[in-house]
Amino acid sequence: MASLNLAEKEAIILEHESDPQRILNILLELQFRSEEGYIDEETAKLVADRLHLSEARVYEILTYYAILKTKPQPTYVLKVCNSSPCHFSGGTMVMEVLENTLGVPVDEPTEDGMFMYNKIPCVGACDSSPVIKIKDTVFGNLTEESIIQLLDDLRAGHYENL
Amino acid sequence: MLERNQPVLLERVYNMTNAVDVEEYKKFKGFEGLANAISMDNEAILDELDIAHLRGRGGAAYPLGKKWRHMYHSKGTPKYIVCNADEGEPGTFKDKALLEKDPLSVIEGMLIAGYLFKAQTGYIYMRGEYRQIQKIFQQAIDNATKAGYLGENILGIQGFNFKILVISGAGAYVCGENSALLNSIEGKTGRPRVKPPHLADVGLYLKPTLVNNVESYAGIPVILREGGQAFLDLGSEDGGGTKLVCLSGHIKNRGLFEVNLGTPLYELIFSEKYGGGSSTSNPLKFIHFGGQSGPIGAVDELEDCIYSYEGLWDKGLSVGSGAVVVMDNQVSMIDYLVNVAEFFVHESCGKCTPCRLGTTRLMELLKKFQEKRAQIGDIERLEKMMTHVTHLSACGLGQSVANSMKSGLKLYPEEFLAGIGKEVRKLEEVSW
Ligand SMILES: Cc1cc2nc3c(=O)[nH]c(=O)nc-3n(C[C@H](O)[C@H](O)[C@H](O)COP(=O)(O)O)c2cc1C
Ligand code: SF4
Ligand code: FES
């Protein structure tokens, strides 16, 4: 995904009428369409400026909400639901398979910068547990084989939209 | 008259081919509730809501009729209508179905509120994880606006103006608490406010504000279309209507079900129509009701339990959000509670000390039992800490952290005793 230029960022802000009530909508959209999955300083400044907020406020918000990131993210962040319905129906298996296959502990990127996995609370797909969420896509009813398949497919670039 | 066992809330979810299409919505009795509302006296609307006895579906079970009456009489303008679509309680995915597959019913419910309270602005605060559904909901808003159901002079009624803004959350469970939610809409960090005052008096931008859950709003058109009594008859005396129930965990038929309040719990868990019993080869052990903030019941002790507000209260349980998380006998209560505690440690907003530190202390104590290195006196310490966090925390999050732990300790004391390390011996105490 190419990074957004200034005009594209401004368009996103305008789409939400530069409305400070919708700052989370704006930040999420900017982050999801950013190349490295985070809000960089320049973008944070732009949002502060257009919404007439201080930069400190924008950073307060960026650091408060779990989905918003202030640091570059690996290409694929695999979010594993860790809430109890999932955790006790395969969630721990998913964590083990990821650790064994990727060779890194939770919250640490692989050396090539391609993968990272972390625990997140319920995403509302509890009837398909265990689940991994990547961006807006949920992969459910996972087994060891399907997780390894997913990693292979991601590596091979079969999920262009993720 | 509505038949029991007929889907009322999920009918359109199951049958509509285009969820955001106004014409199709109308074919399924869409906007008939609104049409009735505008032909009724305001007092008559409030009376129907009282008769229906819809309890808030977000978790707190507060009678909606009472809340609306309070809002009706509250002074101050403008008034705001807010829909809580934060759906953060783990094990809950029912609002998602309505938002995605029947958004116009939620819009109709909010619109009826807008009409009754002469409010011109509504907000729906939807969790960040539902980003794609936010887009669907926006389409439904746009279509309703084009069809003249949102905007100005709605249905040709002078001064009936109403618009709805979709506000995104971004991954903070506490933003589902309604005052934190309002702060978040105001562009502040989403931490709870000190209450009272009641939000119906001092809410968004300090103006009277109605906050209801998605499923609560979706019930409003049903009540005004079919009448309060018909709605009440779908449920039981202590709470009318059907409830959307989310079955998850070790249960065969995981998923969303529309259940008449008053249905036997065992039917919900074991009948093929609903849960279908255990999904593993092991017997079921316990059920966690209403999300992580709810209490836990032992399956063996619930044979005569009725799934209704009072039926569950009688057993020290609650409906909460409608989450029903079922675990088999391979799951240790302590492991389960450690997982619950981790959730709350992660989600405590840190505004008040009893919750910020208390949740961590609770998790540490539970881990001692999990790792079998608890000491004599740790059960008492755990109980004291639970009481402390429950009574001194400022908002519903901290106040309900210990619900699951209290029931776990009461139901399975032997698992806690087994967590006390063998090498720890009780020394004789002497008076001094
Ligand atoms: C920590 C916390 C989280 C909550 N999360 C939600 C939620 O995600 N959705 C919801 O509708 N209510 C949630 N509630 C309950 C709301 O505060 C409020 O009671 C509800 O939105 C009122 O609507 P109702 O009466 O229609 O249920 C939460 C409460 C607390 C204390
Ligand atoms: S009880 Fe917990 S979540 Fe609620 S205000 Fe206090 S710290 Fe925040
Ligand atoms: S508990 Fe994992 S998606 Fe809900």
Side-chain angles (χ1 to χ4, degrees):
Chain A
M1 212 183 296
S3 60
L4 294 171
N5 61 33
L6 181 63
E8 288 167 320
K9 288 180 194 169
E10 282 182 323
I12 290 173
I13 297 173
L14 282 177
E15 209 179 291
H16 294 96
E17 296 165 354
S18 311
D19 180 358
Q21 297 181 124
R22 284 188 269 174
I23 184 166
L24 296 177
N25 306 52
I26 293 169
L27 290 172
L28 276 182
E29 191 70 24
L30 288 167
Q31 174 169 303
F32 267 78
R33 290 179 49 194
S34 70
E35 195 174 359
E36 293 180 289
Y38 79 113
I39 303 290
D40 58 33
E41 246 183 274
E42 199 188 307
T43 311
K45 271 191 188 143
L46 179 74
V47 171
D49 181 66
R50 297 297 192 269
L51 270 54
H52 307 291
L53 301 168
S54 70
E55 242 176 275
R57 275 221 54 67
V58 174
Y59 268 95
E60 198 186 334
I61 286 174
L62 283 173
T63 48
Y64 183 73
Y65 293 95
I67 302 180
L68 296 170
K69 305 290 175 197
T70 52
K71 295 207 174 64
Q73 302 293 304
T75 317
Y76 301 113
V77 180
L78 313 170
K79 300 184 282 183
V80 184
C81 170
N82 175 48
S83 291
S84 53
C86 280
H87 182 79
F88 294 98
S89 0
T92 44
M93 175 277 292
V94 175
M95 295 300 284
E96 275 165 30
V97 173
L98 289 177
E99 176 156 11
N100 293 338
T101 321
L102 297 176
V104 285
V106 61
D107 291 329
E108 272 183 36
T110 52
E111 238 171 62
D112 58 6
M114 189 169 249
F115 295 107
M116 183 162 83
Y117 63 99
N118 53 32
K119 300 187 207 173
I120 58 160
C122 179
V123 299
C126 335
D127 52 352
S128 325
S129 67
V131 302
I132 289 177
K133 194 169 185 210
I134 307 173
K135 294 225 169 96
D136 287 325
T137 306
V138 173
F139 299 90
N141 300 311
L142 297 169
T143 59
E144 185 171 351
E145 296 76 54
S146 68
I147 298 167
I148 291 170
Q149 171 88 49
L150 173 65
L151 293 174
D152 286 346
D153 287 348
L154 288 168
R155 265 196 210 95
H158 291 173
Y159 287 101
E160 270 173 36
N161 55 338
L162 288 183
Chain B
M1 255 284 285
L2 290 166
E3 299 276 332
R4 282 180 86 92
N5 288 319
Q6 285 291 310
V8 180
L9 293 172
L10 294 184
E11 193 196 351
R12 283 186 290 256
V13 168
Y14 293 143
N15 296 316
M16 268 176 71
T17 52
N18 181 358
V20 298
D21 185 279
V22 174
E23 284 310 312
E24 191 175 355
Y25 179 68
K26 281 158 81 175
K27 280 189 197 128
F28 287 93
K29 305 195 186 118
F31 292 119
E32 286 181 18
L34 175 69
N36 283 351
I38 58 179
S39 70
M40 288 163 77
D41 282 351
N42 291 346
E43 281 296 333
I45 296 178
L46 292 169
D47 288 344
E48 289 303 318
L49 295 178
D50 277 334
I51 295 167
H53 204 9
L54 166 61
R55 287 183 181 274
R57 304 299 200 221
Y62 189 79
L64 179 136
K66 263 195 194 165
K67 192 189 272 188
W68 282 43
R69 216 172 261 283
H70 185 162
M71 180 75 183
Y72 187 68
H73 293 292
S74 68
K75 302 270 178 295
T77 45
K79 293 184 177 182
Y80 293 110
I81 308 302
V82 174
C83 177
N84 188 340
D86 203 42
E87 189 150 77
E89 269 300 348
T92 314
F93 44 87
K94 50 141 189 133
D95 294 341
K96 182 171 132 220
L98 294 171
L99 296 165
E100 187 177 11
K101 306 229 171 80
D102 191 15
L104 288 161
S105 73
V106 183
I107 291 173
E108 187 179 347
M110 293 177 72
L111 193 49
I112 291 170
Y115 171 79
L116 182 62
F117 303 124
K118 303 203 177 349
Q120 308 220 343
T121 313
Y123 295 87
I124 180 160
Y125 186 92
M126 206 184 300
R127 65 179 305 201
E129 294 293 345
Y130 292 173
R131 228 171 62 93
Q132 293 307 320
I133 304 176
Q134 291 169 12
K135 296 188 175 157
I136 295 173
F137 203 90
Q138 185 62 51
Q139 270 177 14
I141 291 174
D142 294 346
N143 291 349
T145 309
K146 267 186 230 138
Y149 286 99
L150 289 172
E152 303 203 333
N153 304 325
I154 295 164
L155 298 175
I157 300 170
Q158 281 299 316
F160 181 12
N161 306 336
F162 195 66
K163 64 173 180 188
I164 298 177
L165 288 175
V166 180
I167 306 288
S168 180
Y173 166 74
V174 74
C175 284
E177 194 278 339
N178 45 19
S179 69
L181 185 148
L182 298 186
N183 279 345
S184 188
I185 296 179
E186 291 181 9
K188 302 181 179 139
T189 39
R191 291 200 177 84
R193 299 178 184 173
V194 179
K195 284 192 269 187
H198 202 289
L199 298 177
D201 298 311
V202 183
L204 189 65
Y205 302 112
L206 308 180
K207 297 296 181 186
T209 303
L210 178 78
V211 186
N212 275 122
N213 169 261
V214 170
E215 186 186 348
S216 303
Y217 279 117
I220 301 294
V222 182
I223 296 172
L224 290 171
R225 195 180 74 216
E226 310 285 346
Q229 187 64 43
F231 189 86
L232 179 69
D233 291 342
L234 291 174
S236 58
E237 280 298 299
D238 53 285
T242 53
K243 177 78 192 82
L244 297 183
V245 172
C246 313
L247 295 181
S248 69
H250 301 151
I251 193 153
K252 205 169 88 191
N253 307 325
R254 301 182 296 182
L256 180 65
F257 297 88
E258 182 167 357
V259 177
N260 292 95
L261 286 160
T263 302
L265 178 71
Y266 264 35
E267 186 181 332
L268 185 59
I269 302 297
F270 293 105
S271 78
E272 280 307 321
K273 182 176 165 201
Y274 299 115
S278 174
S279 62
T280 65
S281 48
N282 306 305
L284 297 175
K285 177 175 171 185
F286 64 88
I287 305 175
H288 196 176
F289 290 91
Q292 306 274 289
S293 62
I296 292 174
V299 172
D300 288 347
E301 293 176 14
L302 296 175
E303 200 177 338
D304 59 347
C305 178
I306 300 296
Y307 193 85
S308 67
Y309 289 97
E310 231 160 59
L312 289 169
W313 284 329
D314 278 351
K315 303 276 182 195
L317 303 169
S318 63
V319 169
S321 65
V324 172
V325 180
V326 188
M327 291 285 134
D328 75 9
N329 70 356
Q330 300 303 297
V331 179
S332 116
M333 179 50 66
I334 314 271
D335 289 348
Y336 189 86
L337 293 175
V338 167
N339 181 264
V340 172
E342 278 174 357
F343 172 78
F344 284 114
V345 169
H346 187 254
E347 297 300 338
S348 167
C349 84
K351 181 168 168 162
C352 59
T353 320
C355 169
R356 184 180 64 239
L357 295 182
T359 46
T360 306
R361 288 293 101 81
L362 285 170
M363 185 177 75
E364 288 165 356
L365 272 165
L366 288 165
K367 280 194 168 160
K368 282 175 82 177
F369 287 97
Q370 186 181 37
E371 291 157 13
K372 307 231 179 299
R373 51 183 182 80
Q375 293 168 0
I376 309 280
D378 275 346
I379 292 187
E380 290 74 13
R381 246 169 247 126
L382 183 67
E383 281 176 326
K384 246 175 129 170
M385 188 51 76
M386 293 193 300
T387 312
H388 181 80
V389 178
T390 309
H391 292 291
L392 298 180
S393 290
C395 90
L397 187 149
Q399 288 155 11
S400 53
V401 164
N403 284 343
S404 56
M405 299 164 195
K406 284 180 205 156
S407 35
L409 182 57
K410 194 160 149 238
L411 292 170
Y412 305 100
E414 68 286 357
E415 293 189 32
F416 285 81
L417 287 172
I420 296 177
K422 290 227 169 42
E423 67 279 15
V424 188
R425 287 224 174 74
K426 186 156 187 168
L427 288 183
E428 191 191 349
E429 291 184 25
V430 293
S431 54
W432 56 286

